[in-house]
Amino acid sequence: MSGALLEVRDLCVRFGAFAAVEDVSFDLAAGETVGLVGESGCGKSTLARAILRLIPASGGSVKWDGADLLELDAAALRRRRRHVQMVFQDPLASLDPRMTVGESLAEPLEIFEPALTKPERRSRTLHMLERVGLAAEMLHRYPHEFSGGQCQRIGIARAMMLRPKLLICDEPVSALDVSIQGQIVNLLRDLQGEFGTAMLFISHNLAVVRHLSHRVLVMYAGRLVEAAARDALFAAPVHPYTCALLAAVPDPARAPAGTAQDAFAESPPAGRVRSGCAYRGRCAYAAAACALEAPGLEQIGAQHAVACHRRRELVYS
Amino acid sequence: MRPGGAGISPPPADAAAALCVTNLEVSYARPDGTVAAVRDVSLSVGPRECIGIVGESGSGKTQVFMAAMGLLAENARARGSVRFEGAEILGLAPHPLNRVRGSRLTMIFQDPMTSLTPHLKIGVQLAEVLVAHRGSSWREAKREALEALERVRVPEPQRRLRQYPHELSGGMRQRVMIAMSLLGRPSLLIADEPTSALDVTVQAQIIDLLRMLRVELGMAVALISHDLGVVAGLADRIVVMYAGRVVESARAGDLLRSARHPYSALLLQCVPNLRDARLERMPCLPGQPPDPAAPERGCAFAPRCPRASERCARERPALRDLDGAAQVACHHPLSP
């Protein structure tokens, strides 16, 4: 593992005056899993899409394989894109309803490895289908014949066909029954072990991220508010927002839970807050300084950074 | 679709219950045969009680309540009995059904965006319910709409009344749906996966809100979810369904502490939590629920069950009382 596979620096995405992603920087090493957590509208999916250039970034850089993905021309971008694949939240909507599973899985090979013969393609398709836990006879079926969990397996198989170096998973289990979520998370872990793929795993539930992330990034209103190695984050979260996210995880053993920590607060749309810390309206620890200036991400430990003016008091409280 | 059809002797209705479902069967006619969605389900919701209905997609948990609300698809057939406040409502024509449906008996759904009309302001949509159901004047209805938004703790309710659904967040839209469902002063609110499309933080807020409202308004709630973690925050009693049947019914505290059916126990383990030691593998249920079109043989859960014996493959376990504390349909229940 020499250096980072992906280096995101000061990435910004603006839609007019609306800043969806603001000054986000992080690294991802080969084979590493980073969890990206935050509520709807915080910009986590926008960040993922900007990295892939599915939407244009407004500033910053995305270093990949010695080049800035944001600067590449179409042909050069396409050559690199095969190494970065994506798995989406709605598994049925992300598959073409008119293509059989076999056709969907073979398509990436037809595009990126046109030299393969038909039998070679078929054998790679079959192998991957079986690898994600589906039977060979399912190759000829259509997406609507599968359950949500099975469709997500197909989506993962399609993303893995080209053996990508990085897999971006955008809420891959949020639309699934809890009973099935573990199957998909475990499958992703197994594939990562086997192929050495790095993963950016996006979720709104910290309890899911905890099982497979080496590091966790917490995002609020377009900015990273906490970044830490997994164990540091779960053992000693610092940012009040991270603590609120942890408190919100439903737990049958803790029920009936008390009132939600920040009941009735709503996430402000990213970019709406003109000055100061975007979280201060929801924050129990907000002080005068929080209204004046947006806090930057500061290191508080070897692998732990927090964007909070009151981090020192909170660490020791 | 007439209630109490041939061969079913109507059991004595629980007069005290808000909703009493007895021997309900729901099936769908398809070109390739009949698919059974609900098989012989009996359950009741007491006044002011909150029951949680838990199961995976396709377990029939929503179908039970869609049948009660008269919202089944054209090709569905429902048999058995559904009594609401003592009166039979299964198979009623829309007109008589509308006397209770939407007022005393209401339902909210997973996706609040598709439940709201996109081109009408929130205030108009709320007021319209009162004009249609109670014959209120628009002026009176608008005043009540404001109160309704205050009741569900919507910030800046006056401004929200003038907004369109797309201007609200998912959590705010679900609050509006809850406000709308409360306009007719329901004695039973059916909430079908009300938080499944929401973030965990907003989910916790909506469950809190429902907990406060049921006390303030003295109404019963039927909360349908695939997630025992969500149901645990609200339910007094939990009914677990699998493949169209009730497999366990118990007081919430008992079931969450020690589930008796192996399926309930596994479902509990699947809820990702922050309390257990982190495992290399996330707990999950192996396999898939059975195909509802396939004929039923033995216990439907047997192929996925760690406790299954040869008897389970052969003989379907009946729902029976266990120590007076729980009803369980299992040949090999767990000990408490």
Side-chain angles (χ1 to χ4, degrees):
Chain A
M1 236 188 262
S2 61
L5 180 70
L6 178 78
E7 280 179 38
V8 176
R9 289 290 173 275
D10 306 317
L11 190 66
C12 294
V13 182
R14 296 198 188 91
F15 300 112
F18 183 93
V21 174
E22 195 71 351
D23 290 332
V24 169
S25 302
F26 69 94
D27 289 352
L28 222 147
E32 187 187 32
T33 302
V34 168
L36 176 61
V37 182
E39 290 163 296
S40 303
C42 76
K44 54 194 194 301
S45 296
T46 304
L47 171 61
R49 281 158 202 251
I51 291 171
L52 279 168
R53 262 178 73 180
L54 295 175
I55 48 175
S58 317
S61 65
V62 178
K63 285 268 166 51
W64 172 272
D65 196 15
D68 184 351
L69 289 186
L70 304 184
E71 311 259 292
L72 293 179
D73 63 47
L77 176 66
R78 195 172 151 113
R79 277 198 300 279
R80 283 174 175 81
R81 252 194 195 155
R82 65 166 294 174
H83 300 297
V84 189
Q85 295 288 321
M86 193 154 176
V87 174
F88 299 90
Q89 174 168 358
D90 184 339
L92 191 57
S94 53
L95 294 169
D96 188 329
R98 298 161 306 173
M99 283 168 97
T100 65
V101 170
E103 288 163 355
S104 270
L105 295 190
E107 198 181 35
L109 294 178
E110 286 162 19
I111 295 167
F112 285 103
E113 297 184 30
L116 288 181
T117 64
K118 222 174 163 190
E120 282 171 330
R121 261 207 313 268
R122 194 182 147 75
S123 121
R124 291 226 346 225
T125 308
L126 255 179
H127 175 259
M128 189 52 80
L129 192 72
E130 281 164 9
R131 186 60 206 77
V132 299
L134 295 175
E137 68 258 24
M138 297 183 171
L139 219 48
H140 306 292
R141 302 231 198 124
Y142 289 89
H144 75 267
E145 298 176 64
F146 294 90
S147 68
Q150 287 173 321
C151 280
Q152 199 54 291
R153 287 174 189 272
I154 298 165
I156 291 168
R158 182 174 150 100
M160 292 301 293
M161 280 311 292
L162 298 166
R163 315 253 163 118
K165 291 180 187 157
L166 171 62
L167 191 62
I168 297 181
C169 303
D170 191 1
E171 300 264 15
V173 301
S174 306
L176 305 177
D177 284 344
V178 277
S179 52
I180 305 294
Q181 291 181 7
Q183 290 183 10
I184 299 298
V185 169
N186 293 339
L187 172 66
L188 286 168
R189 273 188 73 111
D190 291 346
L191 290 171
Q192 177 176 45
E194 197 174 320
F195 298 102
T197 315
M199 251 198 289
L200 181 64
F201 188 97
I202 301 176
S203 176
H204 64 88
N205 189 341
L206 272 166
V208 173
V209 163
R210 172 174 173 252
H211 281 277
L212 81 173
S213 303
H214 300 111
R215 276 189 305 131
V216 180
L217 310 173
V218 182
M219 196 165 174
Y220 186 79
R223 291 174 185 268
L224 294 185
V225 296
E226 188 156 5
R230 176 191 61 219
D231 292 342
L233 188 96
F234 287 97
V238 173
H239 200 286
Y241 179 61
T242 311
C243 299
L245 278 180
L246 286 166
V249 172
D251 184 346
R254 234 175 28 189
T259 298
Q261 194 162 340
D262 57 351
F264 316 129
E266 281 279 318
S267 176
R272 287 281 165 81
V273 179
R274 291 271 170 255
S275 65
C277 173
Y279 189 62
R280 69 179 193 277
R282 275 170 83 169
C283 183
Y285 304 95
C290 305
L292 299 174
E293 200 184 334
L297 212 52
E298 303 272 352
Q299 290 292 327
I300 59 158
Q303 276 211 69
H304 200 158
V306 179
C308 176
H309 289 308
R310 306 208 55 195
R311 62 187 178 278
R312 288 196 187 82
E313 296 111 293
L314 292 173
V315 167
Y316 298 114
S317 66
Chain B
M1 237 170 81
R2 296 250 27 110
I8 299 170
S9 52
D14 185 352
L19 187 80
C20 188
V21 174
T22 316
N23 305 123
L24 183 70
E25 308 263 348
V26 176
S27 57
Y28 285 85
R30 288 204 314 204
D32 52 343
T34 303
V35 175
V38 176
R39 306 172 199 250
D40 194 22
V41 165
S42 298
L43 56 87
S44 66
V45 190
R48 296 164 183 263
E49 187 188 30
C50 173
I51 69 162
I53 317 286
V54 179
E56 291 168 284
S57 303
S59 63
K61 56 190 193 301
T62 297
Q63 294 299 313
V64 170
F65 294 91
M66 294 297 259
M69 292 290 285
L71 295 175
L72 292 175
E74 287 276 306
N75 61 336
R77 219 175 104 82
R79 282 174 33 196
S81 157
V82 178
R83 299 180 81 83
F84 176 67
E85 293 182 329
E88 180 64 48
I89 57 167
L90 187 67
L92 277 186
H95 185 66
L97 187 56
N98 283 345
R99 278 201 287 270
V100 289
R101 180 171 68 171
S103 52
R104 302 286 298 159
L105 175 65
T106 56
M107 187 161 180
I108 58 171
F109 302 90
Q110 176 169 348
D111 183 354
M113 192 63 191
T114 52
S115 304
L116 291 163
T117 305
H119 66 284
L120 287 181
K121 287 179 183 169
I122 299 298
V124 175
Q125 300 199 44
L126 285 167
E128 190 179 50
V129 175
L130 293 164
V131 173
H133 273 274
R134 277 221 309 263
S136 306
S137 69
W138 276 98
R139 194 192 172 86
E140 172 69 10
K142 290 239 167 122
R143 193 183 53 73
E144 267 197 59
L146 180 66
E147 285 173 15
L149 286 188
E150 286 167 351
R151 193 179 299 131
V152 297
R153 282 82 167 168
V154 166
E156 305 176 80
Q158 198 65 263
R159 186 163 73 88
R160 304 293 181 187
L161 286 176
R162 293 190 301 270
Q163 286 183 314
Y164 291 94
H166 75 265
E167 297 178 80
L168 307 183
S169 67
M172 213 45 85
R173 276 182 221 133
Q174 197 58 284
R175 282 176 198 267
V176 169
M177 281 314 300
I178 294 171
M180 192 179 286
S181 72
L182 299 179
L183 288 171
R185 301 288 144 88
S187 62
L188 173 62
L189 169 67
I190 302 165
D192 185 9
E193 303 268 11
T195 65
S196 303
L198 304 174
D199 290 325
V200 280
T201 42
V202 181
Q203 174 172 295
Q205 293 167 13
I206 295 290
I207 295 297
D208 275 345
L209 174 67
L210 288 173
R211 194 185 304 126
M212 286 186 272
L213 289 172
R214 63 177 280 226
V215 175
E216 286 171 20
L217 305 174
M219 66 178 176
V221 177
L223 177 65
I224 305 170
S225 178
H226 65 91
D227 187 343
L228 267 167
V230 170
V231 166
L234 195 65
D236 306 314
R237 204 151 51 81
I238 295 176
V239 174
V240 181
M241 286 186 68
Y242 191 77
R245 293 186 186 274
V246 173
V247 295
E248 181 163 6
S249 170
R251 282 190 29 226
D254 292 342
L255 190 140
L256 296 169
R257 210 173 311 112
S258 56
R260 309 295 299 274
H261 197 289
Y263 178 61
S264 318
L266 283 167
L267 267 187
L268 260 176
Q269 282 171 26
C270 288
V271 179
N273 68 60
L274 298 163
R275 176 178 24 86
D276 292 344
R278 199 183 62 82
L279 299 167
E280 278 309 299
R281 305 192 70 72
M282 200 168 137
C284 62
L285 256 162
Q288 298 280 333
D291 177 1
E296 213 180 4
R297 253 192 96 234
C299 172
F301 187 58
R304 297 170 84 183
C305 182
R307 293 170 75 85
S309 68
E310 188 245 338
R311 183 185 174 199
C312 304
R314 217 176 45 232
E315 188 188 328
R316 185 171 60 75
L319 195 64
R320 61 190 166 110
D321 269 314
L322 227 56
D323 320 325
Q327 287 189 305
V328 179
C330 179
H331 293 309
H332 310 291
L334 298 151
S335 31

